């Protein structure tokens, strides 16, 4: 009866979705709340998504254009199978370590001239809608080029946007753009197209302003067999998938996709909710993909230090890196990230010595590399080591011999198929030598935590280095930090490199840009920003000049999590979230609004009989820690502007 009522409501909502003669297929999520209708609309396939009978994505186009056939028009829908799919998997590197996935799978079969040419495969879970195209061979044609996707997303009228504009190609530092490091625009009306190049994924929309609701659009499963895509605004509230910009990689390479038929495309994902909870808690990016190879060894995760964020290029010398190894050892950290120019300022022989010194202290190393190739002008070295297989594997063999933990590869600046293949090749080769991989100056990860077992995280965000480069970034730190847990970090691990306890971004802690946020804020972002390996912006001087309670927290805070819960928040204003690691919950909050944020927070996840440890700021951003003994079913807190909150306690 409940499902019948959903279809009645859906029919009323969709109104004129279908022409009289259009064939259509209808299906719902396992709980019946999310409804999808697909039809052929007089030969032009389209779909619509509703939640509890309210439209969240209006009639939107489907289809792809190939050089051998146009699969956007002249199509007839033939109803296919609707089944339930289930999966269960464990993954240490995402926000939920044990995932049980259930979804309705609907195969919408499309014919052209009486022949089956394409299936649109939908997966609908209780918070996500995803679809992928399965394209059949065209008679004797197996080699094909996908020239365009007509995948569209029509948002309800009056929707507002929370989007990160795509950079124009071959701009920015050393012509390395797009590097996915631009500032979000918040609460803007639909109808804009960023800086003329669309937006980077994921893309968040607030819909149905009267009733309230959220839509997050992204993609997953993209690897060397496809391109990385962006979201373009066609007009008004109509958005569509865009392939890479022609000018990326200095104009080299194609923006289209070379495929061998039959072929299945990556997934378009749509997460919907009346609140931001489904957006924050979704695992759709990893639900829809499978591992591409087995891990060559058991990879481990944890915290590390990083001199470059405070000391810049000059800190990349032998003695300073020894000092940071000692610092990591004192903090109980697993690693040190040695950044750019180490090959010149330390050298391979001394780096081997540094790695031996680290092993004696129980600290491993991550080494920085330029992605190199001919696609940008970035001068930082090591160069010419990652873009060709033979040289890359020789370098990785040397790293394996030195006991190096992993690499950080920077400056990619394209989503073309050739560059997506380079990401995959680096990951695959690195696994052969037991190396973990972090990417910077790079595209969004798209299910890579599950696809590539040695993948750790990607930057793909306006990250901590900008706090060193300009006071404006420091002034906007709280605003930006209130965006990332609700948008960027919802679909993939984010290597931000933050949580500084220096008052100034300089090695002397007396000059340079000024940190506007509190020490408790720094602790909170260590929880809010998710990555299984975290190289924090702490410095050796913090052992003596930072509060003991802050250092103690940063020694103990986990980097891998078992569960996440959205508590409250609004992009750019404030965030309250909780993460669980083992038997402990960490509830973290930050405030970017000018006025203090006062909230009464229910604490059902905490054991009411066990003590809570509360890190909190006063109105002058002076932090302190206290213990609440018992009977804490809820707590009323006030977070000042640029301040933070962390509550730690045993799980219920």
């Amino acid at each position: 009866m409940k499902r019948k009522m959903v279809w009645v409501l859906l029919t009323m909502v969709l109104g004129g979705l279908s022409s009289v003669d259009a064939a259509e297929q209808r299906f719902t999520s396992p709980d019946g709340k999310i409804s999808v209708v697909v039809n052929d609309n007089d030969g032009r396939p389209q779909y619509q998504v509703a939640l509890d009978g309210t439209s969240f994505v209006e009639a939107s186009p489907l289809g792809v254009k190939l050089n051998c056939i146009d699969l956007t028009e002249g199509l007839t829908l033939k109803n296919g199978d609707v089944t339930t799919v289930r999966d269960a998997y464990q993954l240490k590197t995402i926000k939920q370590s044990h995932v049980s996935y259930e979804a309705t799978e609907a195969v919408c079969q499309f014919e052209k001239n009486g022949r089956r040419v394409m299936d649109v495969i939908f997966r609908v879970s209780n918070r996500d809608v995803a679809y992928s195209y399965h394209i059949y061979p065209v008679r004797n044609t197996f080699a094909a080029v996908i020239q365009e996707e007509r995948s569209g997303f029509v948002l309800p009228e009056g929707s507002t946007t929370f989007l990160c504009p795509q950079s124009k190609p071959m701009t920015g530092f050393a012509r390395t753009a797009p590097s996915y490091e631009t500032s979000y625009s918040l609460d803007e009306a639909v109808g804009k197209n960023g800086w003329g190049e669309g937006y980077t994924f994921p893309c968040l929309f607030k819909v149905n302003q009267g009733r309230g609701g959220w839509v997050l659009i992204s993609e997953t499963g993209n690897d060397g067999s496809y391109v990385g895509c962006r979201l373009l605004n066609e007009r008004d509230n109509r958005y569509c998938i865009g392939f890479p910009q022609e000018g990326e990689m200095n104009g080299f390479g194609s923006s289209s996709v070379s495929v061998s038929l039959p072929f299945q495309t990556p997934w378009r994902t749509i997460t919907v909710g009346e609140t931001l909870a489904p957006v924050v808690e979704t695992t759709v990016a990893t639900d829809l993909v499978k591992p591409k190879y087995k891990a060559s060894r058991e990879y481990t995760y944890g915290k590390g230090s990083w001199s470059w964020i405070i000391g810049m290029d000059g800190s990349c010398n032998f003695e300073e890196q020894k000092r940071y190894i000692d610092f990591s050892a004192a903090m109980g950290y697993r690693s040190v990230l040695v950044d750019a120019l180490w090959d010149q300022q330390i050298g391979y022989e001394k780096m081997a010595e540094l790695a031996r010194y680290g092993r004696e202290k129980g600290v491993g190393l991550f080494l920085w590399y330029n992605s190199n190739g001919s696609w940008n002008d970035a001068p930082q070295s090591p160069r010419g080591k990652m873009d060709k297989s033979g040289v890359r594997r020789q370098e990785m063999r040397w790293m394996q011999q030195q006991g190096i933990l992993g690499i950080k590869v920077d400056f990619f600046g394209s989503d073309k198929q050739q560059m997506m293949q380079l990401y995959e090749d680096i990951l695959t080769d690195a696994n052969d030598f037991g190396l973990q991989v972090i990417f910077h100056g790079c595209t969004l990860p798209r299910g890579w935590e599950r696809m590539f077992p040695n993948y750790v995280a990607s930057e793909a965000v306006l990250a901590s280095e900008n706090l060193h480069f300009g006071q404006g970034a420091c002034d906007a730190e709280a605003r930006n930090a209130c965006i990332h847990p609700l948008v960027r970090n919802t679909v993939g691990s984010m290597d931000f490199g933050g949580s500084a306890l220096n008052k100034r971004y300089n090695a002397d802690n007396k000059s340079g840009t000024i940190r506007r946020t509190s020490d408790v804020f720094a602790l909170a972002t260590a929880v809010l920003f998710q990555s299984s390996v975290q190289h924090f912006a702490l410095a050796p001087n913090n052992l003596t000049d930072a509060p003991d309670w802050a250092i103690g927290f940063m020694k103990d805070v986990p980097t891998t999590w078992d569960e996440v819960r959205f508590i409250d928040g609004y992009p750019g204003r404030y965030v309250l979230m909780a993460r669980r690691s083992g038997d402990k919950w960490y509830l973290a909050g930050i405030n970017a609004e000018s006025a203090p944020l006062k909230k009464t927070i229910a604490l059902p996840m905490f054991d009411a009989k066990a003590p809570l440890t509360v890190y909190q700021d006063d109105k002058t951003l002076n932090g302190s820690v206290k213990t609440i003994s018992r009977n804490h079913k809820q707590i009323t807190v006030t977070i000042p502007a640029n301040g933070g909150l962390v509550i730690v306690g045993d799980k219920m």
Side-chain angles (χ1 to χ4, degrees):
M1 182 65 184
K2 182 177 179 181
R3 293 204 174 194
K4 287 185 178 179
M5 288 299 296
V6 168
W7 291 128
V8 170
L9 288 169
L10 186 60
T11 300
M12 294 171 63
V13 169
L14 301 187
L17 171 68
S18 311
S19 67
V20 174
D21 296 327
E24 68 179 25
Q25 189 167 349
R26 299 167 175 255
F27 41 92
T28 69
S29 57
D31 64 4
K33 292 184 177 181
I34 300 178
S35 310
V36 179
V37 173
V38 179
N39 76 353
D40 56 21
N41 187 37
D42 293 331
R44 293 181 173 86
Q46 59 184 19
Y47 74 104
Q48 181 161 350
V49 178
L51 174 63
D52 283 335
T54 299
S55 179
F56 272 56
V57 178
E58 298 182 349
S60 302
L62 295 166
V64 293
K65 286 186 177 181
L66 287 77
N67 61 342
C68 55
I69 191 170
D70 185 348
L71 299 178
T72 66
E73 60 183 15
L75 302 180
T76 302
L77 173 64
K78 301 293 183 181
N79 284 2
D81 293 335
V82 178
T83 58
T84 299
V85 295
R86 294 181 178 87
D87 190 15
Y89 59 95
Q90 299 182 20
L91 201 56
K92 295 179 181 179
T93 53
I94 61 171
K95 55 196 171 189
Q96 183 170 324
S97 61
H98 303 271
V99 179
S100 295
Y101 174 67
E102 181 180 4
T104 300
E105 180 176 277
V107 179
C108 302
Q109 302 174 8
F110 285 92
E111 294 184 353
K112 188 165 189 172
N113 300 323
R115 183 170 51 85
R116 187 173 176 181
V117 290
M118 177 180 70
D119 297 338
V120 185
I121 305 168
F122 277 85
R123 290 274 190 91
V124 187
S125 72
N126 290 341
R127 58 191 174 201
D128 309 293
V129 175
Y131 62 88
S132 171
Y133 302 103
H134 182 91
I135 306 166
Y136 291 93
V138 182
R139 297 184 177 85
N140 294 323
T141 300
F142 299 96
V145 174
I146 300 178
Q147 299 171 323
E148 178 187 356
E149 272 196 44
R150 285 298 299 147
S151 307
F153 311 88
V154 179
L155 284 305
E157 293 286 346
S159 297
T160 54
T161 69
F162 303 78
L163 303 175
C164 183
Q166 179 97 331
S167 300
K168 292 185 180 298
M170 303 303 291
T171 58
F173 171 75
R175 300 198 299 165
T176 57
S179 49
Y180 317 95
E181 301 174 29
T182 61
S183 294
Y184 280 79
S185 59
L186 304 179
D187 277 310
E188 287 201 343
V190 294
K192 299 180 180 180
N193 200 33
W195 301 336
E197 307 295 342
Y199 301 96
T200 62
F201 287 125
C203 298
L204 182 65
F205 298 86
K206 188 177 182 182
V207 301
N208 304 317
Q209 301 296 325
R211 179 177 175 180
W214 297 87
V215 174
L216 184 79
I217 299 172
S218 193
E219 62 180 0
T220 191
N222 309 61
D223 56 18
S225 67
Y226 213 72
V227 294
C229 298
R230 55 197 163 119
L231 194 67
L232 302 176
N233 181 263
E234 292 185 311
R235 66 181 187 278
D236 303 326
N237 58 336
R238 297 174 177 271
Y239 294 81
C240 66
I241 290 293
F243 279 2
Q245 304 156 99
E246 291 287 348
E248 293 174 14
M249 296 181 69
N250 210 15
F252 177 76
S254 174
S255 293
S256 54
V257 186
S258 175
V259 299
S260 177
L261 302 179
F263 181 80
Q264 184 168 336
T265 68
W267 295 87
R268 310 286 153 230
T269 66
I270 307 164
T271 303
V272 298
E274 293 181 353
T275 72
L276 282 167
V279 169
V280 169
E281 298 170 14
T282 183
T283 54
V284 67
T286 49
D287 292 340
L288 298 166
V289 300
K290 298 292 184 182
K292 300 200 71 169
Y293 50 74
K294 292 182 178 180
S296 63
R297 65 177 179 87
E298 183 178 357
Y299 292 107
T300 59
Y301 311 94
K303 300 178 286 291
S305 64
W306 175 42
S307 70
W308 187 89
I309 181 62
I310 299 297
M312 296 280 107
D313 290 347
S315 71
C316 194
N317 62 72
F318 184 82
E319 292 302 324
E320 186 69 351
Q321 295 310 305
K322 278 188 67 176
R323 193 165 77 100
Y324 267 80
I325 288 173
D326 292 340
F327 174 51
S328 277
M331 293 292 291
Y333 286 2
R334 144 183 199 266
S335 63
V336 167
L337 168 61
V338 186
D339 220 283
L341 302 174
W342 62 263
D343 60 324
Q344 298 181 39
Q345 297 175 184
I346 297 175
Y348 280 80
E349 184 176 338
K350 295 291 283 184
M351 181 57 71
E353 181 182 339
L354 195 67
R356 288 194 297 272
Y357 181 78
R359 286 197 300 276
E360 293 171 1
K361 296 282 187 173
V363 176
L365 303 181
F366 277 74
L367 301 184
W368 185 96
Y369 283 86
N370 197 328
S371 75
N372 208 37
S374 56
W375 42 83
N376 62 59
D377 302 324
Q380 286 84 354
S381 61
R383 298 173 47 121
K385 304 290 188 180
M386 289 293 135
D387 60 319
K388 293 181 177 62
S389 178
V391 177
R392 179 171 61 239
R393 292 181 65 84
Q394 182 178 350
E395 189 80 359
M396 289 177 173
R397 184 175 293 107
W398 172 82
M399 284 187 274
Q400 183 185 48
Q401 292 167 352
Q402 310 313 315
I404 303 300
L405 290 179
I407 55 177
K408 170 185 171 182
V409 190
D410 208 340
F411 301 134
F412 288 86
S414 177
D415 281 333
K416 290 181 177 179
Q417 190 171 9
Q418 294 93 326
M419 191 66 81
M420 299 299 284
Q421 186 64 57
L422 179 62
Y423 284 114
E424 182 171 356
D425 290 345
I426 290 172
L427 284 160
T428 303
D429 284 349
N431 181 65
D432 288 346
F433 297 98
L435 299 169
Q436 294 176 304
V437 180
I438 299 169
F439 291 122
H440 266 235
C442 59
T443 194
L444 179 78
R446 295 160 166 91
W448 292 357
E449 294 92 339
R450 193 176 183 196
M451 293 166 68
F452 305 106
N454 57 322
Y455 169 80
V456 173
S458 296
E459 185 183 28
V461 72
L462 193 65
S464 62
E465 63 196 54
N466 296 281
L467 300 170
H468 188 120
F469 292 150
Q471 188 59 45
C474 288
D475 296 343
E477 182 184 7
R479 171 192 180 272
N480 292 329
C482 288
I483 300 170
H484 305 325
L486 306 179
V487 188
R488 158 66 180 89
N489 214 179
T490 62
V491 298
S493 300
M494 181 179 74
D495 191 63
F496 188 85
S499 295
L501 290 175
N502 267 21
K503 301 300 182 184
R504 310 287 290 260
Y505 279 91
N506 196 286
D508 63 13
N509 206 12
K510 296 177 181 178
S511 58
T513 55
I514 303 169
R515 180 166 59 93
R516 301 297 190 191
T517 55
S518 72
D519 289 341
V520 181
F521 181 101
L523 310 192
T525 56
V527 176
L528 293 172
F529 296 169
Q530 183 269 317
S531 175
S532 59
V533 173
Q534 293 261 30
H535 288 107
F536 292 121
L538 305 179
N541 53 276
N542 296 148
L543 289 172
T544 56
D545 61 17
D548 289 342
W549 51 264
I551 290 295
F553 180 91
M554 293 303 295
K555 285 181 177 180
D556 295 336
V557 64
T559 64
T560 56
W561 304 99
D562 296 307
E563 192 175 352
V564 61
R565 291 190 192 178
F566 171 76
I567 307 297
D568 198 0
Y570 195 92
R573 299 180 188 177
Y574 67 96
V575 180
L576 288 162
M577 286 171 51
R579 297 190 192 275
R580 180 177 63 83
S581 178
D583 293 331
K584 293 267 184 206
W585 276 101
Y586 290 72
L587 190 155
I590 53 176
N591 178 26
E593 297 190 286
S594 57
L597 176 72
K598 186 175 182 179
K599 288 285 181 180
T600 297
I601 306 169
L603 303 173
M605 72 285 290
F606 289 102
D607 182 350
K609 297 180 180 179
L612 293 180
T613 303
V614 180
Y615 302 82
Q616 197 167 8
D617 286 314
D618 64 18
K619 61 183 179 181
T620 62
L621 295 184
N622 286 318
S624 62
V625 59
K626 64 181 179 181
T627 300
I628 300 175
S629 58
R630 58 176 53 213
N631 296 325
H632 33 262
K633 295 182 179 179
Q634 64 181 32
I635 186 172
T636 299
V637 298
T638 300
I639 307 177
N642 289 323
L645 167 76
V646 180
I647 302 173
V648 184
D650 294 340
K651 73 173 184 177
M652 175 62 73

